[in-house]
Amino acid sequence: MRIGIYGGTFNPPHNGHLTAATAAAAQLKLDRLVLIPADIPPHKALPAESAGAEDRLEMTRLAAGYLHTVCPVDVLDWEINRGGTSYTSDTLRQMREHYPNDELWLLMGTDMFLSFLTWHEPETILSLAGIAAFGRERGDDLTGQKARLERDYGARIQLVDNPEIIELSSTEVRKALRTGDGSSLLPAAVYGYILRRGLYGTQTDLRCLTPDTLRPIALSYLKHKRMAHVLGTEEEAVRLARLYGEDETKARLAALLHDCTKKLDLPQQLALCDTYHIPLDEMERHALKLLHAKTGAAIAREVFGLSEEICSAIEWHTTGRANMSRLEKILYLADYIEPSREFRDEPDVAHLRQICYEDLDRGMLLGLEMVIQEMEGMGNPIHPHTVAARDWLMKEGVQP
Ligand SMILES: [Fe+2]
Ligand SMILES: [Fe+2]
């Protein structure tokens, strides 16, 4: 296996890192890429306005999601866990232990490549890995250094052509962020994470956000693979809101946050329930799927100050309930029929979508019945609120 190793402070990881990693992965035909945020970089002191190690690690994880279409990517916390000055030679020794028979390539940009011989244990590094060097700016000349390292040290060097080069440093990104700019320089979820955590001098009042400002922040809560679903749910919720005279902004805000705690595991969910004093019944205590709706509503209320109407749409988006509001129905159904769902094998969902566009209540009744049937088919318990929602609609005279 051919593994690329890309270290750095990632303070923050930005689009320049992504294009360089993409070019290196393609040209070296990497089977895997690992990103390793440094704890304390040996080459330069971290500037005062830096993000902490845990934040840099989390931002690197978010950035890595954007590389999954290029090749499989891991983010390793080795250097941060080791603490102290992060020497590449130590990390490569550790990599070699993990991957004794694999081909290792260390990725680096111009500055690092040209100053390579001043690094700690450069010969050890060259004995453990090849170097894949890419220009940071157009016109960077790396050929002299390549020839010298090959001739004098027997190094394996590959120069990576970076056609999509983005001439950008983390210093410039931090400067842009401080002045209220920077969204175009960063992967959306990383930008959202920075705003959410108030990093690099950003000051975002989380309690009065427009959908456009909330969007990247909402993405920063998600696993990468769920982002298309949440954006699809927003799109679908707006479509239904327009059709049925609901407030579009409320539909967007509810959709953007509806799965914001979905990636948390059971202990993390239960901890949030404790923090926000969320009462749970016995069934909910063990059901992740049900918990994320409750904790998501709590985050929407407590962190983002959203109205009860929006929070309750989030709270009931998995089970439904009797006497649902129009916004609750819209989010419930948008979550179900949004465009990124796979329809090829689900003609039922395509049918549901059609009914939803004809009549919201009939769509709701059909959606609930499909869920009940699916649960019964799998031998799973059906939440009483789901049954109550269906019975309520039938009592109201909604025709299946
Ligand atoms: Fe959900
Ligand atoms: Fe969802």
Side-chain angles (χ1 to χ4, degrees):
M1 191 161 64
R2 192 176 277 194
I3 303 170
I5 301 155
Y6 193 4
T9 48
F10 298 115
N11 187 27
H14 54 69
N15 290 344
H17 294 119
L18 294 190
T19 52
T22 302
Q27 283 164 51
L28 275 92
K29 299 192 169 49
L30 295 179
D31 299 298
R32 183 162 287 279
L33 177 64
V34 296
L35 304 180
I36 310 181
D39 190 46
I40 299 173
H43 313 285
K44 54 183 176 193
L46 280 174
E49 78 276 18
S50 291
E54 287 304 321
D55 281 328
R56 290 186 291 106
L57 181 64
E58 189 55 30
M59 288 189 284
T60 308
R61 288 190 180 123
L62 289 168
Y66 292 82
L67 291 167
H68 276 298
T69 50
V70 177
C71 75
V73 188
D74 293 317
V75 177
L76 299 181
D77 55 9
W78 292 357
E79 294 191 350
I80 284 172
N81 286 345
R82 204 160 65 220
T85 305
S86 304
Y87 290 116
T88 301
S89 51
D90 293 338
T91 304
L92 283 180
R93 276 191 276 263
Q94 211 174 337
M95 280 296 288
R96 186 46 81 202
E97 275 174 32
H98 264 74
Y99 299 100
N101 302 313
D102 297 289
E103 198 178 311
L104 304 181
W105 285 90
L106 190 60
L107 277 53
M108 64 181 75
T110 308
D111 311 353
M112 293 291 118
F113 185 56
L114 294 182
S115 64
F116 179 72
L117 289 171
T118 69
W119 288 26
H120 182 66
E121 301 185 306
E123 293 182 56
T124 304
I125 294 173
L126 294 176
S127 71
L128 292 166
I131 293 183
F134 46 84
R136 288 276 301 272
E137 294 177 13
R138 279 177 217 287
D140 280 354
D141 185 7
L142 307 179
T143 52
Q145 176 77 331
K146 170 176 156 67
R148 174 146 66 123
L149 293 175
E150 286 173 341
R151 184 189 63 223
D152 297 348
Y153 296 90
R156 283 181 299 140
I157 310 286
Q158 176 142 347
L159 299 186
V160 174
D161 184 30
N162 184 359
E164 306 286 320
I165 194 166
I166 295 178
E167 299 179 6
L168 186 62
S169 70
S170 294
T171 310
E172 291 168 290
V173 174
R174 290 195 299 272
K175 193 171 156 209
L177 287 164
R178 252 195 323 276
T179 54
D181 236 333
S183 68
S184 62
L185 311 177
L186 295 154
V190 173
Y191 179 64
Y193 185 87
I194 290 167
L195 297 188
R196 167 151 72 91
R197 301 272 300 141
L199 304 177
Y200 307 116
T202 56
Q203 289 179 321
T204 309
D205 181 358
L206 298 180
R207 297 184 70 86
C208 55
L209 296 177
T210 62
D212 284 344
T213 320
L214 177 61
R215 195 170 299 110
I217 293 175
L219 295 181
S220 78
Y221 281 101
L222 304 173
K223 284 188 180 166
H224 195 81
K225 63 176 187 194
R226 190 164 296 280
M227 291 182 189
H229 163 66
V230 166
L231 295 175
T233 303
E234 182 193 5
E235 187 187 325
E236 197 64 55
V238 169
R239 190 175 293 136
L240 293 172
R242 283 184 188 145
L243 259 177
Y244 295 109
E246 183 53 81
D247 184 289
E248 275 182 46
T249 301
K250 289 178 188 167
R252 280 188 198 278
L253 296 171
L256 284 169
L257 285 176
H258 83 281
D259 277 341
C260 70
T261 58
K262 185 87 176 182
K263 81 169 174 189
L264 304 183
D265 61 19
L266 195 59
Q268 290 170 320
Q269 294 285 359
L270 293 174
L272 270 186
C273 291
D274 259 7
T275 305
Y276 294 122
H277 310 292
I278 301 171
L280 298 175
D281 64 33
E282 203 40 41
M283 188 169 177
E284 286 160 344
R285 200 152 267 292
H286 305 284
L288 255 186
K289 196 168 179 255
L290 301 176
L291 283 175
H292 85 276
K294 300 210 160 212
T295 52
I299 296 283
R301 184 182 300 114
E302 305 292 337
V303 177
F304 295 99
L306 295 183
S307 67
E308 271 319 302
E309 201 185 350
I310 296 174
C311 297
S312 96
I314 296 174
E315 180 166 353
W316 299 104
H317 86 267
T318 46
T319 59
R321 63 165 170 172
N323 303 307
M324 286 173 89
S325 71
R326 184 171 52 191
L327 187 63
E328 288 170 13
K329 292 174 197 164
I330 284 176
L331 182 61
Y332 182 96
L333 289 169
D335 185 34
Y336 207 147
I337 65 172
E338 57 89 10
S340 86
R341 296 252 177 177
E342 192 59 68
F343 284 114
R344 258 171 316 196
D345 304 321
E346 295 184 73
D348 291 356
V349 178
H351 175 61
L352 171 62
R353 164 179 268 204
Q354 194 195 328
I355 301 295
C356 286
Y357 295 158
E358 288 168 16
D359 184 311
L360 189 66
D361 284 331
R362 275 185 64 219
M364 196 61 222
L365 182 56
L366 180 58
L368 290 162
E369 285 188 331
M370 284 166 64
V371 168
I372 289 170
Q373 268 178 24
E374 194 188 332
M375 291 296 189
E376 280 173 349
M378 294 190 298
N380 289 345
I382 298 155
H383 198 282
H385 281 302
T386 305
V387 178
R390 183 204 44 196
D391 294 349
W392 162 66
L393 286 169
M394 287 174 61
K395 216 170 101 201
E396 294 286 300
V398 179
Q399 297 296 322

